[in-house]
Amino acid sequence: MTPQELRAFCLEFNASTEEFPFGPEASVFKVLGKVFALSALDAPLLKVSLKCDPDEALRLRKEHAGIVPGWHLNKRHWNTVTLAELPDRMVRELVEDSYDLVVAGLPKAERLRLDRP
């Protein structure tokens, strides 16, 4: 997956936006103001940090060398994924899971607006 493909995929989700609160080098993807993905899209080695269920995060880290605790994030709830070390399909599933976890934490009225009860 290329940086352009990652950006496009993150922006396909309902109400998703790309912001740059940490400077122009760090893309932060949000849904209704809540972060679901962070990536330095211009980095030589493409990585993305994604929210994850704590138990699932541990399992994924044990099974895949390309998945480590979230860099500069709550390591219980965030993983950093090296895209070159995982199949694109798995990366897409992890991004979608992250989005869904963030949406699940939104108030019910906002979830219903997003068509994701």
Side-chain angles (χ1 to χ4, degrees):
M1 179 177 288
T2 67
Q4 296 79 12
E5 290 169 335
L6 176 61
R7 172 184 280 130
F9 185 67
C10 287
L11 292 173
E12 284 179 10
F13 296 103
N14 290 342
S16 65
T17 60
E18 180 181 19
E19 299 178 15
F20 302 91
F22 307 116
E25 65 282 346
S27 292
V28 178
F29 298 95
K30 297 182 177 183
V31 54
L32 299 179
K34 303 290 183 181
V35 177
F36 71 92
L38 299 96
S39 182
L41 296 173
D42 293 336
L45 185 59
L46 185 59
K47 297 179 181 186
V48 62
S49 293
L50 301 166
K51 191 159 190 160
C52 192
D53 170 78
D55 294 330
E56 181 72 0
L58 291 173
R59 183 188 68 75
L60 288 167
R61 292 174 201 161
K62 286 179 185 175
E63 293 178 6
H64 303 280
I67 300 177
V68 298
W71 188 70
H72 283 300
L73 297 163
N74 181 329
K75 294 178 183 357
R76 185 164 187 259
H77 295 276
W78 289 84
N79 281 336
T80 296
V81 176
T82 302
L83 277 68
E85 297 185 27
L86 297 172
D88 285 359
R89 180 177 180 190
M90 183 177 187
V91 172
R92 289 177 184 276
E93 289 171 358
L94 293 171
V95 172
E96 185 170 5
D97 289 348
S98 179
Y99 176 87
D100 288 342
L101 272 173
V102 172
V103 168
L106 295 171
K108 185 177 182 180
E110 290 180 353
R111 286 194 316 267
L112 292 174
R113 267 194 6 226
L114 294 172
D115 253 355
R116 288 179 103 80

